[in-house]
Amino acid sequence: MASAFFNEDHESIREMAQQFAEGTLAGIAAEIDKTNVFPEEVVQEMAELGFYGLKIPEEYGGLGLDMRSYVCVMEEVAKKCATATLFISSANSLSTQPILLSGTEEQKAKYLPGVADGSVKISFALTEPNAGSDAGSLKTKAVKDGDFYVLNGTKCFITMAPIADYHIVYAKTDPDKGTKGISAFIVSKDLPGVSVGKHEEKMGQHGVPVSDLILEDVRVPADCLLGKENMGFINAMKTLNVGRVGVASMALGIAQEALDLAVEHTKNRVQFGKPLCKNQALAFMMADMETKLNAARNLVYNAAWLMDNKEDATKAASMAKYFTTEAAIEIVNKSLQLHGGYGYSQEYEIERLYRDVRITSIYEGSSQVQQMVISGALLR
């Protein structure tokens, strides 16, 4: 899709992602959903295509591309399999941005090349049972002990925790300071005291495990501190800015697929002697869907453009995440309605999209958190 936001290089990346999605993912997405297993060979294929290193600098094994390239890939892949985008977003956002933002040269050289080539997976462990949207109230603690920090606490809803080699853990190093007392650590899964809980049985986006991450007297070497002590909260929030645009891109792709399915179904389904699309009420429903989708697309592309041009994109990223995910949920819901009883059948793709899209307005900052960010910027 040509746009003022993109150049020929972006369109080439988009075309490659589209070919991969249609050629590899379209035929297996339903099976992934049913079995809850994502094929390892497809994980590796995405690595070979360079999808995990899109935003990782070339000196650390990545492609060194920009935010818009990432958006193109996320949008196209999400059309056919939202689960696949979780591997891509993890590698380019939550698992690497904290290191790129605050890591030492040694840390970047140690962890980033493995993520780029698909041999290393890193989870982002911020959320806790009593600290979701309110990240400042987390209870996990890190106590300095010589050349180590001793970590204790439980994280929940951690994507990829059961298969991650390392976890980026946010913990209180100064419990009395709230958000100004949080530090970030790179924690190996092999350290004594690190374990994961049972896999969450999720509504959608099957094929990537999510679980608790449990830390019991885990002795983490001091050189695994990420950035400065007590500066972890800023690191997490800056990381989530990137993540929000990624989730918005995912929602965009799902919504586009849902609209395409609605158009196809209503053109081919004949009722009362004419195709459904000839019913003005249904045609106008799709007009609303198309309009909201294009408004969302411009918000997402604008946020990515601002990031690429080193401009403050905090409010733009939140507006993109808020509007796009809410619009996507509405579009997918209307598409299912337009499918009638068929939309409720697991044989039809729209049923899976309905389950897959729902989480997008919740994770990486719920819609209500985005409203807080947007209003805070507006009323500052």
Side-chain angles (χ1 to χ4, degrees), residues 67 70-71 74 240-251 299-301 303-304 307 313 316-318 320-321 364:
M67 193 69 189
Y70 172 51
V71 163
M74 287 288 287
L240 287 170
N241 266 354
V242 175
R244 285 164 183 165
V245 177
V247 173
S249 306
M250 177 202 299
L299 281 170
V300 176
Y301 293 175
M307 287 181 171
S318 281
K321 167 76 161 66
E364 297 196 36

Side-chain angles (χ1 to χ4, degrees), residues 59-78:
E59 60 263 38
Y60 306 117
L63 297 178
L65 300 179
D66 57 15
M67 193 69 189
R68 284 168 291 171
S69 300
Y70 172 51
V71 163
C72 289
V73 172
M74 287 288 287
E75 184 181 354
E76 294 303 324
V77 171

